Amino acid sequence: MNIKIASFILLLTLFLSNEANAQYRNNRNGLDRSMMSGQGNPSPKKKKPVDQVQVTTERLTTDLELDGFQSAIVRTVVEDYKNSSTAIMEEQVSNEIKYEKLTAANMKMETQIMEILNEKQKVKFAELKEKSLNKDSKKDKKKKKNKKDEEETTETIAE
């Protein structure tokens, strides 16, 4: 009889421990959390890095109708500009000095590009440059307008 009681208690203990373990693993929805590991919030998809040198070269080649030789030179010039601008941005100097150096590097790049273009391509390049300046000036106007609106808002709040 003792063996029957002992085996019954042993089986009851195993059964209850298994139930407790199952409750521990399950969350409120009855799902096993171990199965949910790694799901949760999906990580954002990483965008492929864009090669600005390649993009710029392709755009200029298309817009200016460059031949293979001109395209290769433009790629080299744009790559040199990218390297020099990166070096300028890493310098520990004021932003005004960085701006002046970047402007000089940009002018050097444009001059080198203009040297390899024919007259028709030079006109197109000037048009592209003008469009770019117009876009930048529109952005600057929007920024100035937003700053002016913010200043007016803070002035009315202060009053």
Side-chain angles (χ1 to χ4, degrees), residues 6-149:
S7 62
F8 178 73
I9 292 174
L10 182 64
L11 287 174
L12 183 64
T13 306
L14 288 174
F15 179 72
L16 291 176
S17 66
N18 190 26
E19 287 294 320
N21 192 18
Q23 288 178 0
Y24 175 75
R25 283 187 310 209
N26 293 344
N27 65 9
R28 284 185 234 162
N29 297 329
L31 299 174
D32 186 1
R33 288 188 184 177
S34 64
M35 293 173 58
M36 297 295 290
S37 64
Q39 288 184 358
N41 294 333
S43 61
K45 293 182 179 179
K46 294 181 181 179
K47 295 181 181 178
K48 294 179 182 177
V50 177
D51 183 11
Q52 289 298 326
V53 174
Q54 181 70 25
V55 171
T56 304
T57 303
E58 288 175 359
R59 188 178 53 112
L60 288 175
T61 300
T62 307
D63 292 347
L64 300 177
E65 299 172 2
L66 302 177
D67 61 21
F69 179 72
Q70 289 174 320
S71 181
I73 293 173
V74 166
R75 179 176 180 79
T76 304
V77 169
V78 171
E79 196 167 316
D80 289 344
Y81 171 73
K82 178 188 166 218
N83 293 337
S84 64
S85 64
T86 303
I88 291 169
M89 292 306 290
E90 291 176 353
E91 292 179 3
Q92 299 296 325
V93 294
S94 68
N95 286 339
E96 292 84 23
I97 294 172
K98 287 180 184 179
Y99 179 76
E100 290 172 6
K101 287 183 176 184
L102 286 171
T103 304
N106 190 22
M107 293 296 290
K108 179 182 174 186
M109 177 188 68
E110 289 176 2
T111 304
Q112 290 175 336
I113 291 174
M114 289 293 279
E115 289 175 358
I116 63 164
L117 300 177
N118 62 33
E119 293 304 317
K120 184 180 175 183
Q121 291 170 333
K122 286 179 181 179
V123 171
K124 287 183 180 179
F125 186 72
E127 290 173 358
L128 288 174
K129 186 176 168 184
E130 187 176 321
K131 283 181 184 178
S132 175
L133 290 175
N134 287 339
K135 286 181 183 178
D136 290 342
S137 66
K138 287 180 183 179
K139 289 179 184 177
D140 290 341
K141 286 180 184 178
K142 285 182 180 180
K143 287 180 182 178
K144 288 179 182 178
K145 183 179 177 184
N146 288 341
K147 286 183 181 178
K148 194 181 279 186
D149 290 344

